[in-house]
Amino acid sequence: MIAFTLRRFLGFAATLLVAALVIFWLLDLLPGDPAQFILGINATPESVARLRVQMGLDAPAHERFLAWIWGMLQGDFGMSYTQRAPVAELIWARLAVTLPLSIFAMVISIVVGLPLGILAARRRGKLLDTAIMVTAQTGVAIPNFWFGMLLTLLFAVTLRWLPPGGFTPWNEDGGAAFRGLILPSLALALPQASILARVMRTALVDVTGQDYIRTARAKGLTMGEAVWRHGVRNALLPVLTILGLQFAYLVAGTIIVENVFYLPGLGRLIFTAISERDLILVRGATIILIVTVTATMLLTDIAYALVDPRLRERSAP
Amino acid sequence: MKRLLSHPSLVIGLVATLLFLALGLLSLVWTPYPIAQIDIPRRFLAPSAAHWLGTDNLGRDMMSLVMAGTWTSFLVAAVAVAIGVGVGVPLGLAAAAWGGAVEWVVLRLTDFVFAFPAVIAAILITTLVGPGAVNAIVAIGIFNIPVFARVARGGALSIATLDFVAAGRLAGLGNTLIAWRHLLPNVMSLIIVQGTIQMSLGILSEAGLSYIGLGTQPPETSLGLMLKDAQGVFLIHPWLTLVPGLAIVLIVIALNIAGDGLRDAIDPRLRQGNPNVLA
């Protein structure tokens, strides 16, 4: 297990390093000089050159790359030159919206999707199964941001139960902050819950045909008990993989949904940074997103191996 | 062909998909009104005989916009699938045919690309070259590559050990010819099924990217861009949001139903779900 974890961790580190290299290389290609940008077009060449030295822009590319990586390992993501603040601080403040949003959405999709999947599998071929699967089929086809707009129309405009958008910081009014995230997390959760319900149903139907369920039945368990005690646990394996991937893409998906509700999350930070050509900020924010995606996949792999010892021996899935 | 047509979900999904595709294709030669025709006095009109789906906040005909937008959505998703198939399938087949170091490199490469969801790729590309429909195509296409590589490798691995492949090797075929003559034809059905899934995901991604301003730009239009345009006024004029959104949902459902039907028709063994349904 230790060897497995270590191998996976090395893979994780390698992926991140290459990703950082790609991002650095791509953004380094861009025309435009940050020093010139900060000082404006009327700056003298001398002052621009002086600032370049000050910002370390005159160093060769590989030195700047290593300095960037080394800085990030110590929590220093550089200074944003449009917001005149440390990138790490800016990102951290936005994660207070993006992370809770992703987690709420994930929790909702698990709480709704898994029971529906189990229910559909237990009533396989019945009306309830068909109803759940048709709903799930529709759920995966609905763009989450459009669903967000519909939710706003219903709950914020017509019923006036929840705010249509905007965000109150947690330390000002925790309850209001939470209420602001309800509709966005529902919007994000819909397609995820639909996928989970489908995967859970398929996995459970697969498992129900296995010998150990028959053995459990032969030992005197009812079908319900056998499925609950032996089936669900085994069926959770494929579901776990999906969950990991889903969380990773949820974090990326929040970027789009934040726009519907005018939430000050990571996505809106990135868009401002793009339009103002704040490359240091774009660089820091994208690498944080990629770290989140890869770290989630790493944790999923390890969790999977913990639950299923058969997987520890094989390196490739 | 007759066997294919005996699957009702395939027929329904395919017909619905083709209807939308025809609508999109028609927009290339004819739309009720030019899509760039701004007519402020005639904005926010309800559906009528003159404007079947009403007009938007700039007085443009919604029907014309939906037609043109549908075409963009199909085009972006289809080219992205082509990129995924064109690069991913050879990689996957090579991994299966050569094994060893080639396989290792391909697997690590696919792992790596999975770390770049389309949104992140689009962010980087937009920062680099500015927004546009081509960005969306490239970003979604890049994301499609590992998907097809995995599907092709998985399918090919189960065939690579069969006798006819061994016979091919005995007859002196190299890895390239084995992959081309024996592996490719046998994974084709898997790829077609995955292709319809990625088509529908591509249409959803295009909508998302255009909605946040990283995809299609005016004066071109797409269903996602229509939703972006409606964003500022959708609380007062929900209609502008409902029309393009419903169009997306219907197209994606049509594609998914066609995909499910295709999967059942081509290979009933695959009926047991597909984990690659992630957005």
Side-chain angles (χ1 to χ4, degrees), chain A residues 17 27 31 100 140 152 183 187 208:
Chain A
L17 192 67
L27 297 185
V140 291
T152 312
L183 291 184
T208 314

Side-chain angles (χ1 to χ4, degrees), chain B:
Chain B
M1 197 63 200
K2 201 172 172 195
R3 191 171 62 92
L4 286 180
L5 291 182
S6 65
H7 289 263
S9 65
L10 174 60
V11 176
I12 297 169
L14 213 54
V15 168
T17 306
L18 288 178
L19 274 179
F20 274 106
L21 187 60
L23 208 59
L25 276 171
L26 180 63
S27 80
L28 291 179
V29 289
W30 177 84
T31 50
Y33 297 83
I35 59 159
Q37 184 181 311
I38 293 171
D39 189 359
I40 299 291
R42 296 183 62 76
R43 65 188 187 155
F44 299 128
L45 289 187
S48 63
H51 298 279
W52 287 7
L53 294 176
T55 59
D56 77 348
N57 53 332
L58 298 173
R60 293 175 294 181
D61 178 54
M62 291 280 279
M63 184 69 202
S64 310
L65 287 173
V66 167
M67 286 169 66
T70 302
W71 172 245
T72 315
S73 295
F74 269 102
L75 189 67
V76 169
V79 180
V81 166
I83 294 175
V85 172
V87 182
V89 172
L91 283 178
L93 292 181
W98 271 269
V102 175
E103 187 167 36
W104 188 87
V105 169
V106 169
L107 284 177
R108 295 294 79 78
L109 201 68
T110 58
D111 277 351
F112 176 70
V113 178
F114 268 130
F116 284 86
V119 178
I120 300 181
I123 288 172
L124 287 172
I125 298 169
T126 308
T127 317
L128 206 57
V129 295
V134 178
N135 289 349
I137 292 176
V138 175
I140 303 168
I142 289 176
F143 191 72
N144 279 340
I145 293 173
V147 174
F148 284 101
R150 296 239 154 181
V151 168
R153 171 178 168 270
L157 277 184
S158 63
I159 294 153
T161 50
L162 296 183
D163 287 344
F164 69 90
V165 177
R169 287 200 195 277
L170 281 179
L173 293 183
N175 282 331
T176 317
L177 281 175
I178 289 279
W180 175 250
R181 282 203 203 151
H182 293 305
L183 301 182
L184 182 63
N186 280 294
V187 297
M188 244 3 226
S189 56
L190 286 174
I191 290 165
I192 293 172
V193 170
Q194 192 65 42
T196 58
I197 296 172
Q198 296 310 119
M199 263 307 278
S200 75
L201 289 181
I203 285 177
L204 285 173
S205 305
E206 191 282 331
L209 292 178
S210 295
Y211 172 71
I212 52 177
L214 299 182
T216 313
Q217 299 294 313
E220 285 172 77
T221 192
S222 85
L223 298 171
L225 191 60
M226 288 177 75
L227 287 171
K228 176 182 159 70
D229 289 343
Q231 166 82 17
V233 293
F234 85 99
L235 295 179
I236 313 157
H237 300 282
W239 181 249
L240 302 191
T241 304
L242 289 178
V243 172
L246 270 180
I248 296 171
V249 173
L250 291 177
I251 296 172
V252 173
I253 289 181
L255 275 166
N256 285 345
I257 294 178
D260 286 352
L262 206 58
R263 189 184 57 206
D264 294 350
I266 290 176
D267 189 350
R269 283 169 304 168
L270 293 173
R271 196 170 302 193
Q272 294 303 338
N274 189 321
N276 287 313
V277 285
L278 285 166

Side-chain angles (χ1 to χ4, degrees), chain A residues 166-223:
Chain A
F167 184 74
T168 319
W170 291 100
N171 49 19
E172 269 175 38
D173 184 350
F178 179 73
R179 276 197 300 280
L181 293 184
I182 295 179
L183 291 184
S185 25
L186 280 175
L188 278 165
L190 171 79
Q192 311 287 347
S194 307
I195 294 168
L196 276 185
R198 288 168 69 158
V199 175
M200 187 71 217
R201 177 186 178 275
T202 308
L204 203 54
V205 165
D206 265 358
V207 159
T208 314
Q210 300 287 330
D211 288 342
Y212 54 78
I213 296 286
R214 209 172 43 198
T215 310
R217 292 271 286 137
K219 277 165 47 192
L221 270 68
T222 64
M223 194 61 191

